[in-house]
Amino acid sequence: MTFPFFQPSANLIKPYALMDLDDTLFQTQRKIDAWDLATGEAENLICASVNKQGEPLSFMTQRQAAFFSWLLVSTELIVVTARDRSEIQRVKLPFDSWQVLTHGAIILSPDNKLLAAWQQHMYQQLAPLQDKLNQLSEVFANHSKGANSQLVFTPHSDTFDSGKISYNGANKRKLTIYLAIKHAQKDHQVLVDLADKLPLLIRDFDQHFYVHVNANNLAILPHVIHKRHAVQFLLEHHLDSQRPSFGFGDSLADLPFLQLLDWYGMPNHGQLHSELQSASTSR
């Protein structure tokens, strides 16, 4: 059997670039300083997202902006993020393809509409877990109200469609997706300690939930919610299998979805980078 040698083609096939956002393409000023990302260009930062008051919150360095511009021109950029539908609106960057949001619970199509098949699948997965999620919400809501508590508790929810025919709107229901906890003083170790205790404090916790801790974010998620599940659904049902794919992410929670792609990488900072450094130096 003979094989042809490579010949450059004038017909560009854009690869898919599946990208995490926060701490991968942009980050807060605090993290820019901690990671020393803006040496010599502190005055040339570009606003990438704003807070609820519309004030600049996260920024891109010039190198990150150049990378993002290259992605927009050369690839079909697909967002894969923990941000929910309201939080993604505060990202001031142009996206025109699929968006995987809320740790994978939500998929928006290129025309910015909810993907119905995925919504119905998520409804079936999340509805049986609502009692347990509500019980967890009550525990943490009460705990965070304590006089000495530094924990800031936020449940994340969205409206899902069961797909069943209904004339009174009963087929749609607001469901809790996951629970997020931050520390008011950004004490990462407090969150790590809490994550270790959760399986001991809550009966059958590991059977239904997993915990992800990254910087000042602790997320309690049902096993049915994961970026990997949503990305796999897109790859199998909506993306062209003949087109190459690659992606980037900064956290351990990104690794499972990245491993579905042809190539993947990480920024030279963040949780995934730190874990790789630790593993390489311990050998």
Side-chain angles (χ1 to χ4, degrees):
M1 181 182 294
T2 60
F3 298 94
F5 292 104
F6 173 77
Q7 294 291 333
S9 172
N11 299 319
L12 176 64
I13 299 176
K14 285 188 174 182
Y16 296 112
L18 287 83
M19 307 296 295
D20 174 55
L21 298 179
D22 293 85
D23 298 340
T24 298
L25 287 177
F26 54 78
Q27 56 284 307
T28 62
Q29 182 68 62
R30 180 175 67 88
K31 291 183 178 179
I32 288 174
D33 295 338
W35 292 326
D36 197 23
L37 296 180
T39 303
E41 57 171 292
E43 297 180 356
N44 297 316
L45 296 176
I46 297 170
C47 180
S49 77
V50 298
N51 61 18
K52 293 180 180 179
Q53 291 72 44
E55 302 163 336
L57 177 64
S58 298
F59 306 90
M60 305 173 82
T61 66
Q62 289 294 316
R63 292 167 71 87
Q64 288 172 326
F67 178 50
F68 183 64
S69 295
W70 173 75
L71 289 170
L72 289 178
V73 173
S74 305
T75 73
E76 181 172 343
L77 180 63
I78 298 174
V79 170
V80 184
T81 179
R83 286 179 177 252
D84 61 28
R85 283 201 284 167
S86 63
E87 292 167 339
I88 197 66
Q89 296 301 314
R90 299 199 289 273
V91 177
K92 303 305 179 181
L93 299 175
F95 303 126
D96 59 7
S97 184
W98 299 93
Q99 296 182 48
V100 174
L101 308 177
T102 324
H103 287 283
I106 300 293
I107 299 178
L108 296 183
S109 64
D111 58 359
N112 212 39
K113 294 181 180 179
L114 289 164
L115 184 57
W118 188 249
Q119 260 219 310
Q120 292 161 20
H121 172 69
M122 283 290 94
Y123 182 99
Q124 296 166 1
Q125 298 295 311
L126 283 170
L129 294 171
Q130 290 306 290
D131 286 345
K132 292 184 180 297
L133 281 164
N134 291 336
Q135 290 170 8
L136 282 174
S137 294
E138 290 179 9
V139 169
F140 289 112
N142 292 332
H143 183 75
S144 64
K145 292 177 182 177
N148 298 321
S149 177
Q150 294 289 309
L151 299 179
V152 181
F153 168 74
T154 306
H156 287 258
S157 60
D158 209 317
T159 300
F160 292 84
D161 191 333
S162 69
K164 299 178 181 178
I165 298 175
S166 173
Y167 298 100
N168 60 6
N171 59 321
K172 293 185 178 181
R173 182 180 169 190
K174 188 174 184 179
L175 300 177
T176 299
I177 300 170
Y178 78 99
L179 313 176
I181 301 173
K182 294 178 179 287
H183 192 273
Q185 303 302 319
K186 296 181 171 57
D187 191 331
H188 174 70
Q189 191 57 48
V190 171
L191 298 181
V192 171
D193 294 341
L194 176 59
D196 291 338
K197 292 176 183 177
L198 286 173
L200 303 176
L201 296 175
I202 300 169
R203 185 177 179 182
D204 297 330
F205 181 87
D206 288 336
Q207 180 180 344
H208 302 286
F209 304 102
Y210 69 99
V211 178
H212 171 58
V213 183
N214 188 13
N216 193 39
N217 296 285
L218 185 156
I220 302 173
L221 301 111
H223 289 297
V224 297
I225 302 298
H226 204 291
K227 291 178 179 180
R228 179 185 173 92
H229 302 331
V231 168
Q232 188 160 18
F233 185 85
L234 280 182
L235 289 170
E236 292 177 354
H237 299 283
H238 293 280
L239 303 187
D240 183 353
S241 62
Q242 299 303 308
R243 290 170 63 179
S245 63
F246 70 93
F248 285 83
D250 73 287
S251 77
L252 292 172
D254 293 322
L255 188 57
F257 96 77
L258 293 173
Q259 290 174 327
L260 295 172
L261 311 177
D262 296 316
W263 299 272
Y264 64 88
M266 71 196 83
N268 65 349
H269 53 266
Q271 186 183 49
L272 198 51
H273 176 72
S274 297
E275 288 290 324
L276 186 62
Q277 272 194 323
S278 298
S280 62
T281 55
S282 64
R283 291 178 180 175

